[in-house]
């Protein structure tokens, strides 16, 4: 007989993609007295889960998910980590209950944006009293706070770039494409696509090396929730690699949405930013950019 979670709430399941976020969430869950079961996404997850009850499943194996949920009496589900590719429709193993939804599932996988796909996945995972919750509900300490995290704050020029990049990130998010934008000298030079944040910043570094971006203006990366973002999945996040790549690209700092963005490896992020003379700043969306300082 498998024990249920604390207070009769049932077990917590963590669907783990790549990156550090799933490990932070799993550790936070244990500190909170939970006994999470981890569903390790095949060809995506890149961490060692041998210390946890776990199963390895394909991204599209919804029947397998339901079997694990039933076996472990799962009541709550967290989706965490990066997923590099969408499953082919041939890889999808639907549940009996979801068979009638398959035409819509295939259409969404083929042509829907990331948020549309996540909404679809949440609907397929929920049911039988189960619900998907946000990673921040288990690990609230990962959320960015308002204001500077380290020693440095944005200058007046940086604030102008924050304002411009925020507008661009909002417009991009409304199209359900990405969450990030880079502004240099008040000019948008990069928008995040399916390649992800680190690769976008690498493009900025390449443009800088080619002389297509002024070496005299530093610039800012901004990451915001999409206007239609479901905060239960895919919150904007930054980690140490974000800061290191931003430094290589010559950026002055990184601004993220306070209360709706995650900071992984927080101590390392702050230390690296401080050493590089860069700021990491939490934006309060209720304030104007002029109010940052």
């Amino acid at each position: 007989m498998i024990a249920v979670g604390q207070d009769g709430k049932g077990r917590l399941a963590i669907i783990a993609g790549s990156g550090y976020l799933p490990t932070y969430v799993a550790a936070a869950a244990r500190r909170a007295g939970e006994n999470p079961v981890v569903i390790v996404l095949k060809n995506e997850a890149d961490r060692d889960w041998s210390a946890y009850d776990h199963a390895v499943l394909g991204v599209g194996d919804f029947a397998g998910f339901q079997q694990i949920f039933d076996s472990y009496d799962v009541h709550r589900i967290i989706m965490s980590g990066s997923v590099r590719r969408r499953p082919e429709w041939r890889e999808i193993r639907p549940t009996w209950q979801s068979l009638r939804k398959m035409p819509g599932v295939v259409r969404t996988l083929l042509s829907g944006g990331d948020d549309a796909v996540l909404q679809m996945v949440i609907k397929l995972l929920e049911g039988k009293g189960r619900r998907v919750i946000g990673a921040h509900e288990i690990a609230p300490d990962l959320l960015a706070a308002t204001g500077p995290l380290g020693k440095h704050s944005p200058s007046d020029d940086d604030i102008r770039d924050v304002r411009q990049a925020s507008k661009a990130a909002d417009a991009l998010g409304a199209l359900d494409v990405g969450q990030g934008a880079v502004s240099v000298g008040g000019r948008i030079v990069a928008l995040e696509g399916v390649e992800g944040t680190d690769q976008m910043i690498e493009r900025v570094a390449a443009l800088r090396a080619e002389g297509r971006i002024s070496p005299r203006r530093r610039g800012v990366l901004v990451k915001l929730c999409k206007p239609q973002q479901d905060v239960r999945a895919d919150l904007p996040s930054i980690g140490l690699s974000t800061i290191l790549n931003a430094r290589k690209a010559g950026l002055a700092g990184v601004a993220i949405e306070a209360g709706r963005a995650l900071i992984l490896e927080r101590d390392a992020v702050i230390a690296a930013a401080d050493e590089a003379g860069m700021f990491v700043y939490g934006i309060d969306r209720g304030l104007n950019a002029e109010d940052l300082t």
Side-chain angles (χ1 to χ4, degrees):
M1 181 71 177
I2 299 172
V4 301
Q6 63 180 40
D7 301 326
K9 292 188 297 185
R11 292 284 286 274
L12 171 71
I14 299 171
I15 300 176
S18 64
Y20 285 101
L21 179 57
T23 60
Y24 280 106
V25 174
R30 277 192 168 169
R31 289 195 297 271
E34 301 274 3
N35 181 22
V37 56
V38 180
I39 298 177
V40 182
L41 295 181
K42 185 165 56 177
N43 300 323
E44 296 288 351
D46 53 5
R47 306 292 156 181
D48 178 10
W49 294 105
S50 58
Y52 293 83
D53 290 337
H54 69 280
V56 180
L57 295 175
V59 174
D61 190 357
F62 295 104
F65 292 151
Q66 294 298 337
Q67 290 170 5
I68 295 297
F69 296 160
D70 289 341
S71 297
Y72 286 92
D73 190 33
V74 167
H75 289 193
R76 292 154 297 140
I77 306 157
I78 291 177
M79 301 163 59
S80 64
S82 299
V83 177
R84 290 180 292 273
R85 72 177 190 90
R86 299 182 184 186
E88 299 290 336
W89 68 269
R90 297 179 183 86
E91 298 174 299
I92 298 174
R93 291 185 61 226
T95 61
W96 285 108
Q97 294 84 356
S98 66
L99 275 174
R100 60 186 175 83
K101 303 177 183 177
M102 279 305 294
V105 169
V106 173
R107 281 196 304 272
T108 301
L109 286 173
L110 291 175
S111 60
D114 288 345
D115 196 63
V117 171
L118 288 171
Q119 288 286 342
M120 177 196 71
V121 170
I122 288 172
K123 290 177 182 177
L124 290 172
L125 293 176
E126 290 188 327
K128 297 185 178 180
R130 300 183 184 111
R131 61 191 180 94
V132 174
I133 64 175
H136 59 287
E137 296 182 53
I138 295 295
D141 57 311
L142 295 178
L143 287 171
T146 303
L149 272 73
K151 298 177 181 178
H152 305 288
S153 294
S155 67
D156 290 343
D157 285 342
D158 297 331
I159 291 172
R160 180 178 63 168
D161 279 324
V162 169
R163 185 187 304 119
Q164 290 298 98
S166 295
K167 291 177 182 177
D170 271 337
L172 188 68
L175 295 172
D176 198 5
V177 176
Q179 300 169 320
V182 176
S183 174
V184 177
R187 170 193 173 204
I188 300 301
V189 299
L191 299 172
E192 182 184 19
V194 295
E195 81 277 20
T197 304
D198 286 343
Q199 286 71 29
M200 174 185 64
I201 304 172
E202 288 173 6
R203 283 195 281 115
V204 174
L207 290 170
R208 183 95 69 181
E210 294 168 5
R212 299 180 65 182
I213 297 176
S214 170
R216 294 179 290 108
R217 299 181 182 276
R218 298 188 68 186
V220 170
L221 164 67
V222 172
K223 292 197 71 173
L224 304 176
C225 271
K226 299 173 183 176
Q228 74 281 8
Q229 182 93 35
D230 189 323
V231 297
R232 293 176 292 176
D234 196 32
L235 285 180
S237 63
I238 63 169
L240 179 58
S241 66
T242 315
I243 302 303
L244 297 179
N245 284 322
R247 180 177 186 175
K248 291 177 184 176
L251 299 182
V254 178
I256 53 178
E257 186 169 352
R260 297 210 304 170
L262 306 176
I263 302 174
L264 312 182
E265 310 164 272
R266 182 181 294 257
D267 291 344
V269 163
I270 295 171
D274 286 348
E275 180 184 354
M278 296 169 58
F279 65 84
V280 179
Y281 205 97
I283 301 171
D284 185 335
R285 296 296 291 275
L287 298 177
N288 295 320
E290 291 87 345
D291 298 322
L292 283 174
T293 56

